[in-house]
Every structure is written in C-alpha cells, then in structure tokens.
Amino acid sequence: MYRTKIIPFAVVAAMAIASSSVAFAGTDEAERSQEIAAVLKAQTSLSTAIAAAESESGGRALKIGYEKENGISVYEVKVFKDKSVFEVVVDPTTGKVIKTKAEGLYATISEWDDQDAFAKAAASPTTLVSAILAAEQKVGGKAVEAKVDDEDNGFQFKIEVAKDSAVYDVIVDIVSGKVLSVKADGVD
C-alpha cells in the first residue's frame, strides 16, 4: 500500500518540476526576445555605447549587454582598466553614460578567473567594436550582445547578431579580427 501511494506522488512531483522548467524556459525566451527587439529599436548602437563607455572610463570594453536596471532599460558595458573591471551604464536612447562603478575584487575574480588572461584580451589588437562591425557585416544584421569569450580554444569575441527573425552567434578572432564562424543561435 505504501508503494502504491509513493509512486503516483513521485510521478506527479516529476511532472510538476518538468512543467515549471518549461515555464521558466518559456519566460527566459520571451524576455530574451523582448531584449533583442529593444536593442534593434534602440537609437544607440552597441558600438556607440561602447565608445561612450570607453571614453568615460578610459578603459577597454570587453562585454556589452542590454539590461533592465531599476525598471529602466540600459546598456551595461564591462570595461577593463588597470587590472580592474568597471560597469559603465549607458542610456540606449541618448548614448550618454548614466553611471560608472568599480565592480570590486569579488566581482572581478568571479567573472574572470585569470586576470592575466583578461589583461591580454584587453591588450589584443582587435577591439570589441571592431569585432562587432565585422560580425554585423558578415551576417548583414545588427549586434544585440557582445563579449570576450574564454570557453573555446582560448580567447575570442562572441557577438550575437540579429537578422530578420533569427539570431546568429558569430565568433571573431581576438588577434586578427576575422570572423571564424557563424551559427544560428541554439544550434551546436
């Protein structure tokens, strides 16, 4: 009798967990679609926002994304300067810097395991703006997110470019600035 009650309960619990995972995935996809649409409509491009962030901080941008901060849509640019990471927030409508703050030691270490490698990426001949422009030209779309990626074969730029109703992951060599690969987002 104990077994006949436990098994149906376990099945129901597993179904509830699976359906909540699907709901979260659907929510994440919807939020991502809204972010992409907002970046595509923004008056300020990623490249322009990076230029503002680098000018304000005196550092080198290695990541940019679209975020909601206190209910306000902003570009969040991670900039590296003097062995520190700074977050520069840029208004996507005006292109003006809203605020700049040091990420602090914990955030710097947690985001980048190897500060020396991060410094090498910051000193590379190819800038994030150059990588974005190469990716946009290759795909014929508009960049919606960009970063230095250290997961595959050393450092490279990973740029997400939207064109029509698709998003493409574009990998750009950090040294040469050449596009290495283009894949539809979600395709391995």
Side-chain angles (χ1 to χ4, degrees):
M1 180 159 164
Y2 176 75
R3 189 174 199 204
T4 58
K5 290 181 180 178
I6 282 287
I7 292 174
F9 176 76
V11 169
V12 169
M15 289 173 60
I17 290 169
S19 66
S20 68
S21 296
V22 169
F24 284 127
T27 301
D28 288 345
E29 286 179 30
E31 286 177 12
R32 182 72 180 136
S33 293
Q34 289 174 348
E35 285 178 7
I36 290 169
V39 172
L40 292 174
K41 290 178 187 173
Q43 295 173 353
T44 302
S45 68
L46 296 186
S47 297
T48 302
I50 289 169
E54 288 179 336
S55 176
E56 178 77 18
S57 67
R60 178 95 175 256
L62 296 176
K63 181 177 180 182
I64 184 169
Y66 191 81
E67 305 290 332
K68 288 267 188 184
E69 193 169 281
N70 299 325
I72 299 169
S73 299
V74 296
Y75 287 128
E76 189 176 276
V77 185
K78 301 289 183 170
V79 178
F80 184 76
K81 180 184 178 187
D82 300 330
K83 297 185 179 182
S84 297
V85 177
F86 294 86
E87 178 184 288
V88 182
V89 179
V90 179
D91 184 321
T93 303
T94 66
K96 295 189 188 282
V97 172
I98 298 170
K99 71 178 179 179
T100 301
K101 70 176 183 175
E103 289 275 282
L105 180 61
Y106 175 75
T108 300
I109 291 170
S110 67
E111 185 158 350
W112 298 95
D113 295 331
D114 186 350
Q115 280 294 315
D116 291 334
F118 195 26
K120 287 177 188 174
S124 72
T126 305
T127 65
L128 187 56
V129 169
S130 298
I132 288 170
L133 296 174
E136 288 176 334
Q137 183 177 12
K138 182 73 171 184
V139 174
K142 184 175 179 182
V144 294
E145 190 171 285
K147 66 180 180 175
V148 170
D149 184 21
D150 65 345
E151 294 180 22
D152 301 325
N153 304 326
F155 281 93
Q156 57 201 7
F157 291 108
K158 180 179 179 187
I159 316 296
E160 289 187 7
V161 179
K163 181 180 179 187
D164 302 324
S165 60
V167 176
Y168 298 89
D169 290 333
V170 182
I171 303 300
V172 178
D173 185 78
I174 203 161
V175 175
S176 69
K178 293 183 180 178
V179 173
L180 301 175
S181 68
V182 178
K183 294 181 188 170
D185 195 23
V187 177
D188 292 326

